[in-house]
Amino acid sequence: MKQIASGKRGRVYDLGDGQIAKYYVPDAPDTALEREVLAARLAHDHGVPTPKVLSVDRDIAQGRVVFEYVSGVAVSWYVLKRPWRLFWASREMARCLANLHTIPDTQTPNLKTEMCKEIDSLSCLTSDTKKEILDQINQFSGPERLCHFDYHSSNVMVSDGACVVIDWGAARSGPPLADLTQTCVINRVDSFPDGTGALMRLVIRALRWLHIELLIAFYSHYSQDHSYASVRRGIRAWQRPIAAARLADDIAYERTALLRLVNSRTSSL
């Protein structure tokens, strides 16, 4: 059994015979397995291109989910090797996300409730700042739709010329523009591969900026509920709460950039 990927919530192994297994790490949240299974099945049943859940084993430590194996490469690496395909990749990612946001969801944890818990737990923000952001979140309204909430170019694969969405461990139900803003924030604060030189950092930074600009434009085109102007307004409104909640993940290389977004009174995305 060969390990092929690892992340904050689990490790992924190739089982052969067209199957992979995700084993959850000991410090993964107790609800991680159930959340991922619910979201992946809901997305798959509504036609989102994502690996099918084949089986769930809750009897072993931390649990295991077996998915169908999908061969391919992450969009992040695909575009880095083929920058001329950025337009296509951004368009297809936007199409997938807009389609995902048409799915009503009352099964996964509530996005606003989860964010409020995460922000309330922070020690790096003052009580006044937290109260201000929590009050802002409680003023948001909108349809409860399935949100991936970790949708970025490393969690979307290119397989047989199409995009496939993976890793539903952070999925939540909530306003779609919060999910899109999370994608923008992740893109803004992401790190660079080890050993990346100064020139390549400039190239990657430019590709990331263009990717998000294209993603927003195409999302506005494919969305049934939002114009380009309303998408931009939504991102401006959600930027601060999203950045604050992400601080709870305690990712060292993101901290400075996230605090800058939290303390900014104008959109930096």
Side-chain angles (χ1 to χ4, degrees):
M1 188 167 62
K2 178 184 177 183
Q3 182 174 326
I4 57 175
S6 64
K8 182 174 64 176
R9 301 175 192 88
R11 298 181 179 89
V12 180
Y13 296 86
D14 186 355
L15 301 180
D17 296 325
Q19 299 180 1
I20 62 168
K22 183 170 185 176
Y23 289 81
Y24 292 83
V25 297
D27 58 349
D30 293 339
T31 59
L33 181 149
E34 301 300 337
R35 181 197 301 250
E36 182 148 17
V37 170
L38 278 172
R41 283 177 169 165
L42 185 59
H44 188 273
D45 290 348
H46 282 80
V48 175
T50 190
K52 183 179 181 180
V53 175
L54 300 178
S55 66
V56 181
D57 189 347
R58 298 176 177 84
D59 295 329
I60 63 174
Q62 284 77 53
R64 180 185 81 160
V65 181
V66 177
F67 295 91
E68 65 177 341
Y69 176 76
V70 176
S71 63
V73 62
V75 166
S76 54
W77 285 106
Y78 179 84
V79 169
L80 194 58
K81 299 293 185 182
R82 306 169 185 82
W84 60 90
R85 295 286 282 168
L86 177 63
F87 185 93
W88 172 85
S90 302
R91 183 189 67 200
E92 293 308 302
M93 282 186 63
R95 190 202 306 270
C96 282
L97 190 61
N99 289 340
L100 171 65
H101 289 162
T102 65
I103 302 173
D105 179 15
T106 58
Q107 301 179 49
T108 58
N110 181 266
L111 183 148
K112 293 198 296 182
T113 301
E114 295 264 297
M115 285 182 62
C116 287
K117 290 178 182 177
E118 290 160 353
I119 293 169
D120 196 45
S121 71
L122 295 173
S123 60
C124 59
L125 300 180
T126 66
S127 297
D128 288 344
T129 298
K130 288 194 286 188
K131 182 180 184 305
E132 185 179 335
I133 296 173
L134 293 174
D135 288 345
Q136 183 181 357
I137 291 173
N138 289 325
Q139 291 174 6
F140 288 127
S141 61
E144 297 294 309
R145 302 285 171 78
L146 179 59
C147 296
H148 186 281
F149 219 60
D150 199 17
Y151 192 83
H152 54 81
S153 57
S154 292
N155 277 341
V156 181
M157 297 176 62
V158 178
S159 177
D160 293 330
C163 284
V164 178
V165 185
I166 61 172
D167 195 354
W168 296 88
R172 308 173 182 199
S173 62
L177 292 186
D179 198 18
L180 178 61
T181 306
Q182 174 83 330
T183 297
C184 295
V185 168
I186 292 171
N187 184 80
R188 173 66 182 272
V189 303
D190 200 8
S191 64
F192 297 96
D194 292 340
T196 304
L199 180 59
M200 184 54 68
R201 284 174 179 254
L202 288 175
V203 171
I204 293 174
R205 190 175 286 118
L207 288 173
R208 287 176 178 171
W209 176 84
L210 183 56
H211 167 59
I212 286 299
E213 291 300 311
L214 289 169
L215 186 74
I216 292 171
F218 281 123
Y219 180 89
S220 305
H221 173 73
Y222 291 118
S223 173
Q224 299 178 3
D225 303 315
H226 301 287
S227 65
Y228 181 79
S230 69
V231 168
R232 282 291 187 185
R233 286 195 300 270
I235 292 172
R236 285 196 296 271
W238 276 103
Q239 170 189 288
R240 196 176 185 219
I242 290 291
R246 190 161 178 84
L247 282 166
D249 287 343
D250 197 26
I251 301 173
Y253 64 78
E254 293 186 355
R255 182 183 174 89
T256 299
L258 288 172
L259 286 171
R260 190 179 301 120
L261 290 173
V262 170
N263 293 326
S264 174
R265 294 294 175 174
T266 58
S267 177
S268 303
L269 300 175

